Amino acid sequence: MHEVSVISNMVDAILRELDNYKVQRVEEVNIVIGDLTSLGPEQLEFAYEIVTKDTILEGSKLIIEREEVSVKCNECGYEGPAENLESDFFDHSIPVIACPKCGGGVDIVAGQACRVRDLNIVEAD
């Protein structure tokens, strides 16, 4: 379950940054997770609850924003969302890393994010 490792690293970075401020409490932590990361939202939330115990982040809400896969074609110039493969065998769609217009090779423009977007904090007096 690599979600625990990812959340642990995020929480460590947040706590280091919060050391620079007078913070009474943290209400929300907003993160962006790309569809290509294979990180499960439920697992991230569970790991967050465990990792933040006994820290200033304990009790804060983790808000996860999905970043869909977007591609740019090296051949026809298409730029936009990737096509998704749907299947009865999976509980989610799988992005096709090829141009949905011409089938050519693409560069991934979005969908690989794994970052803290912002925090909602209450400053100490």
Side-chain angles (χ1 to χ4, degrees):
M1 186 160 125
H2 64 289
E3 285 84 357
V4 173
S5 176
V6 169
I7 285 295
S8 291
N9 288 331
M10 281 186 172
V11 166
D12 288 346
I14 292 167
L15 292 173
R16 280 193 307 275
E17 184 63 25
L18 289 176
D19 282 343
N20 298 316
Y21 303 92
K22 293 180 181 177
V23 177
Q24 182 179 6
R25 73 177 179 278
V26 177
E27 294 180 341
E28 293 178 349
V29 173
N30 299 289
I31 64 174
V32 179
I33 301 296
D35 286 348
L36 290 176
T37 65
S38 299
L39 294 168
E42 295 84 14
Q43 293 86 351
L44 289 169
E45 290 169 355
F46 179 75
Y48 183 80
E49 186 176 330
I50 292 169
V51 171
T52 59
K53 187 164 177 54
D54 297 326
T55 73
I56 196 165
L57 297 172
E58 184 174 11
S60 63
K61 183 173 182 169
L62 179 66
I63 298 176
I64 302 169
E65 177 185 328
R66 273 187 57 226
E67 181 183 72
E68 294 182 358
V69 179
S70 183
V71 297
K72 181 176 182 182
C73 182
N74 297 319
E75 296 177 33
C76 75
Y78 168 85
E79 188 167 347
E83 185 177 1
N84 287 308
L85 176 65
E86 304 291 334
S87 173
D88 294 336
F89 297 108
F90 308 111
D91 60 350
H92 60 280
S93 62
I94 299 172
V96 178
I97 308 302
C99 179
K101 299 286 185 195
C102 73
V106 296
D107 290 325
I108 298 170
V109 177
Q112 299 178 14
C114 183
R115 68 178 181 275
V116 177
R117 189 182 63 179
D118 58 36
L119 307 172
N120 183 356
I121 65 170
V122 175
E123 292 184 90
D125 295 328

